[in-house]
Amino acid sequence: MTTRLSKLQAIVLDTFGENILSVNDALNELTIEVATDLLYPTLKELRDNDELQFEQLIDVAGVDYLHYGLDEWSTEKASGRGFERGRSTKSKSEWQKPRYAVVYHLLSVTLNQRIRVRTFVEAESMLVPSVVELWNGANWFEREAFDLFGLLFDGHPDLRRLLTDYGFIGHPFRKDFPVVGELEMRYDEEQEQCVYEPVSIEERILVPRVIR
Amino acid sequence: MAEIEHYTLNFGPQHPAAHGVLRMILEMDGEVIERADPHIGLLHRGTEKLAEIKPYNQSIGYMDRLDYVSMMCNEHAYVLAIEKLLKLEVPKRAQYIRVMFAEVTRILNHLMWLGAHGLDVGAMTMFLYCFRDREPLMDAYEAVSGTRMHATYFRPGGVYRDLPDSMPQYDKSPWRNDRKLKSLNENRQGSLLDFLADFTDKFPANIDEYEALLTENRIWKQRLVGIGVVSPERAFQLGLTGPMLRGSGVAWDLRKKQPYDVYSELDFDIPIGRNGDCYDRYLVRVEEMRQSNRIIQQCIKWLKENDGPVIADDHKVSPPSRADVRENMESLIHHFKHFTEGYCVPEGEAYAAVEHPKGEFGIYLLSDGANKPYRLKIRAPGFAHMAAMNEMAKGHMLADVVAIIGTMDVVFGEIDR
């Protein structure tokens, strides 16, 4: 661990103390975990504190931990069905924490340092405070996370879908949303218009997921 | 007659100045923009979701198709993120090759931008000239990877193969005489490095030509000076990076400040603007091309003098050589495992950012220890720039919107992902 990172870690621990749930400095990157209700003041302090000065919000990423640590391959039960051999059905993930998380990546241009802030979001409420007030650039990042994961950013000025089609239903980046989608569209010559139908293709696994 | 105060204009998605599939709803007061609401996602392919269902190496090709005018820079960020998680050492020669091609890519991207920006604003000739210079660079891409654009050349641990010793030649054809054929093949007699060295010798003079056409051009300046001004404070607020930030006078470049690969060993300067308008960003990007040219020259020099492996010698991650596979059982197993199941990446998370021609391009990789990423988030610079559209276009005329789209250097492959 570089001295620079340990210095930043010391400042962060000093500033927030008990308010941080965990600190991690793996791979030379500092990650802190904050409870959702303390997220806004923590990020505000990260931006305004003279020793931190994270004036830029680089990224906001939603994460769905539903299938975390699950693999699709168990080599113990062999069968004679070719490629599908030994594919285990998904059991329940051993993930203990809430299902969703929002990950913020901050950058300080002045002090040349980065930090990652993670907050877990309860699946019942899906509510996260919006940080558009702190960094105006968060607007689209939050709209994207709302669109793809269904995370609700409290206080966002204009929480509309961003990437998916007009009238799209569902949140496609959730792990229980099929990769092939739910609806397919085609032009129908008899009706002379585009029609939406349930997908006709089946989801396949070409390379099973393994954890070794 | 009824009085019309505001009206709404639908700009795109099928509009040549929209640089792809941008649909923008413009609320206009006469010819002045009151509010711009970009609708993106028409090119959304769900790259991040697709990456979750395939082994790590199979997504490298998807990275090319994000920002499809700066292909290798996208790959660069992706392989850096994987290397970070695997704690993989990359051979020096591979790092130099990667840096050299990252800079070739930067020139490719900036030439495309300069041509398209010129075309949007009315300088049609620029487009043709810029494509002339893109051609040898694409040939370099082809010589090294086999494709002109979507290279899939970078790999975790290095690059796919070493630089070729010879360049492909133009063939005889009924449409060119011997003299023409000879002149076409003149700079292709040596290796790829000689070919690129020849390009870097000629290129600065070509940039001078572009500058002669544009920099002091009255129309060009009328269209760009004072348009889309962003102050440094607003640039931070809006998350602008790359030339968009440097144009506002902030000397921030990841290649200098948080160097990756061998950038710390190379000598180059960071140009910055002063006023934060479209014209300054134009000047910054043109100067960046000159600096990239310098970096390529330094890389060529180093690569000519030094030999070595181009990919890490860890066959859990990189495939063994073909000859080994035929003779060695262990290598055969590695080869088979590599191309079927892939490799497992230790549990953890990593964020790797590169100074992409458009700004900070980052890959946030979350692994649960499997052979596929658990979550891949692509931080596209154009996404944040596009989000700033409303603020930059407000109060400008309709024609200036085109200049602002041009100065952002938007490519929808990366914005929509």
Side-chain angles (χ1 to χ4, degrees):
Chain A
M1 191 170 71
T2 57
T3 49
R4 190 178 209 139
L5 193 70
S6 51
K7 213 176 122 197
L8 173 63
Q9 184 171 348
I11 295 168
V12 166
L13 284 174
D14 202 40
T15 316
F16 301 111
E18 304 267 291
N19 289 348
I20 314 179
L21 300 176
S22 75
V23 184
N24 188 351
D25 58 1
L27 301 173
N28 233 339
E29 294 177 0
L30 193 66
T31 312
I32 60 172
E33 194 192 316
V34 184
T36 319
D37 47 347
L38 287 171
L39 181 75
Y40 190 86
T42 309
L43 289 173
K44 191 169 174 9
E45 185 65 20
L46 281 169
R47 187 192 68 169
D48 294 337
N49 190 317
D50 278 345
E51 288 177 298
L52 298 165
Q53 291 198 48
F54 288 100
E55 64 271 87
Q56 226 176 3
L57 176 73
I58 286 294
D59 194 20
V60 178
V63 185
D64 176 4
Y65 282 96
L66 185 64
H67 294 164
Y68 193 84
L70 283 185
D71 57 358
E72 298 156 338
W73 183 265
S74 111
T75 39
E76 282 149 29
K77 306 175 275 180
S79 76
R81 282 180 296 128
F83 197 27
E84 262 198 291
R85 175 165 57 95
R87 244 197 71 204
S88 62
T89 45
K90 276 174 189 147
S91 55
K92 203 155 159 39
S93 163
E94 283 170 24
W95 188 250
Q96 300 292 327
K97 289 177 176 168
R99 177 174 163 187
Y100 295 100
V102 184
V103 182
Y104 298 83
H105 285 92
L106 308 182
L107 168 72
S108 167
V109 166
T110 323
L111 301 173
N112 193 5
Q113 57 196 11
R114 288 179 190 273
I115 196 168
R116 181 185 298 133
V117 182
R118 185 201 316 277
T119 182
F120 282 99
V121 186
E122 290 300 334
E124 292 83 49
S125 71
M126 297 297 276
L127 271 177
V128 197
S130 166
V131 295
V132 177
E133 289 282 299
L134 297 177
W135 295 280
N136 297 163
N139 190 326
W140 276 26
F141 288 119
E142 291 182 351
R143 274 179 70 185
E144 185 196 324
F146 160 70
D147 188 359
L148 303 179
F149 289 95
L151 293 156
L152 299 170
F153 290 90
D154 192 17
H156 190 287
D158 184 22
L159 202 62
R160 284 177 291 152
R161 282 186 177 273
L162 184 64
L163 290 171
T164 50
D165 197 2
Y166 302 113
F168 189 88
I169 297 167
H171 300 288
F173 276 28
R174 289 184 177 182
K175 287 282 178 179
D176 48 7
F177 192 94
V179 178
V180 292
E182 281 167 347
L183 284 179
E184 64 185 18
M185 188 194 66
R186 67 179 174 87
Y187 179 76
D188 189 276
E189 282 197 347
E190 281 173 20
Q191 295 179 50
E192 293 186 332
Q193 63 175 21
C194 293
V195 289
Y196 288 84
E197 291 161 346
V199 281
S200 54
I201 43 174
E202 265 177 55
E203 194 169 354
R204 289 188 303 168
I205 295 168
L206 296 178
V207 182
R209 184 182 181 84
V210 290
I211 298 179
R212 289 186 203 280
Chain B
M1 208 172 84
E3 258 191 40
I4 303 171
E5 281 195 346
H6 288 242
Y7 67 99
T8 317
L9 187 83
N10 186 36
F11 180 98
Q14 313 282 343
H15 189 288
H19 285 224
V21 281
L22 166 66
R23 179 181 177 209
M24 212 154 34
I25 313 295
L26 300 170
E27 269 175 38
M28 319 267 301
D29 179 13
E31 214 187 323
V32 178
I33 311 287
E34 294 274 297
R35 181 167 167 267
D37 179 19
H39 286 202
I40 64 167
L42 287 104
L43 200 59
H44 179 62
R45 295 146 295 176
T47 307
E48 293 159 1
K49 180 102 175 171
L50 287 171
E52 287 171 10
I53 59 157
K54 43 177 63 73
Y56 282 89
N57 270 17
Q58 290 185 18
S59 298
I60 300 175
Y62 277 96
M63 294 299 129
D64 290 311
R65 287 150 180 84
L66 287 172
D67 182 351
Y68 42 77
V69 289
S70 33
M71 297 70 73
M72 288 206 201
C73 288
N74 307 336
E75 292 173 23
H76 205 165
Y78 182 62
V79 298
L80 282 174
I82 298 174
E83 281 160 9
K84 208 171 193 177
L85 278 170
L86 286 166
K87 299 194 178 80
L88 207 59
E89 280 289 322
V90 183
K92 199 80 181 228
R93 188 173 167 84
Q95 294 189 20
Y96 266 97
I97 295 176
R98 292 209 301 214
V99 165
M100 183 174 82
F101 270 97
E103 295 307 316
V104 165
T105 309
R106 193 177 313 278
I107 295 182
L108 268 174
N109 177 77
H110 283 3
L111 282 173
M112 177 73 209
W113 158 80
L114 184 61
H117 192 22
L119 187 68
D120 289 348
V121 174
M124 170 96 199
T125 337
M126 286 313 298
F127 199 66
L128 306 172
Y129 278 131
C130 289
F131 268 70
R132 174 196 62 181
D133 267 343
R134 271 167 67 86
E135 205 54 34
L137 296 177
M138 292 229 199
D139 285 348
Y141 256 56
E142 188 175 0
V144 83
S145 71
T147 44
R148 283 161 58 82
M149 292 184 80
H150 301 307
T152 327
Y153 179 56
F154 292 5
R155 293 294 140 92
V159 293
Y160 174 57
R161 61 174 184 185
D162 208 344
L163 303 170
D165 294 325
S166 62
M167 281 297 289
Q169 313 271 319
Y170 280 98
D171 284 339
K172 248 181 138 63
S173 102
W175 296 278
R176 22 179 123 90
N177 58 27
D178 286 348
R179 212 175 70 210
K180 175 86 179 158
L181 187 69
K182 199 166 166 239
S183 79
L184 277 174
N185 285 331
E186 205 182 341
N187 54 3
R188 294 163 174 269
Q189 299 306 315
S191 67
L192 171 70
L193 287 174
D194 296 324
F195 179 74
L196 275 174
D198 176 70
F199 172 83
T200 54
D201 290 341
K202 290 178 189 158
F203 188 54
N206 291 355
I207 304 179
D208 291 341
E209 277 183 29
Y210 305 147
E211 287 218 74
L213 269 170
L214 293 178
T215 305
E216 291 303 321
N217 184 319
R218 197 153 44 100
I219 305 170
W220 183 250
K221 284 180 94 167
Q222 279 170 352
R223 290 298 302 273
L224 297 192
V225 175
I227 303 296
V229 180
V230 186
S231 68
E233 293 76 33
R234 289 309 297 164
F236 286 140
Q237 267 284 317
L238 295 166
L240 304 188
T241 47
M244 297 286 289
L245 186 61
R246 289 193 286 275
S248 302
V250 182
W252 176 259
D253 190 316
L254 292 175
R255 292 174 294 170
K256 276 265 192 243
K257 304 285 178 178
Q258 299 174 359
Y260 46 95
D261 278 356
V262 287
Y263 276 114
S264 52
E265 297 172 15
L266 298 165
D267 180 33
F268 60 99
D269 300 319
I270 308 172
I272 57 167
R274 204 176 289 161
N275 308 314
D277 59 1
C278 292
Y279 187 68
D280 278 22
R281 288 188 282 269
Y282 153 76
L283 294 175
V284 165
R285 287 197 176 105
V286 168
E287 183 55 32
E288 274 185 20
M289 285 200 274
R290 293 184 197 277
Q291 297 301 331
S292 293
N293 204 57
R294 263 176 79 194
I295 297 175
I296 295 174
Q297 280 171 334
Q298 293 169 48
C299 290
I300 291 172
K301 186 165 172 288
W302 192 94
L303 286 167
K304 277 187 172 171
E305 287 164 1
N306 297 278
D307 215 353
V310 292
I311 191 155
D313 189 30
D314 178 354
H315 295 315
K316 297 280 178 230
V317 178
S318 63
S321 80
R322 206 66 209 175
D324 268 3
V325 171
R326 293 209 179 86
E327 304 204 330
N328 187 333
M329 189 63 203
E330 187 85 352
S331 295
L332 183 69
I333 296 168
H334 275 140
H335 185 272
F336 177 72
K337 273 303 198 191
H338 184 85
F339 287 104
T340 52
E341 187 181 287
Y343 45 85
C344 289
V345 167
E347 186 174 358
E349 52 189 340
Y351 177 80
V354 296
E355 188 66 34
H356 185 273
K358 294 180 170 60
E360 175 173 331
F361 183 91
I363 296 283
Y364 170 53
L365 208 53
L366 182 66
S367 167
D368 60 348
N371 56 341
K372 307 172 183 182
Y374 186 75
R375 168 93 167 105
L376 172 77
K377 174 71 172 52
I378 300 155
R379 196 273 173 194
F383 186 80
H385 297 166
M386 204 65 234
M389 186 72 209
N390 181 37
E391 182 165 329
M392 283 176 78
K394 202 181 279 177
H396 282 302
M397 300 289 216
L398 177 59
D400 297 332
V401 170
V402 175
I404 292 170
I405 294 173
T407 196
M408 281 178 181
D409 196 4
V410 291
V411 165
F412 272 84
E414 56 152 9
I415 294 174
D416 291 348
R417 283 158 290 153

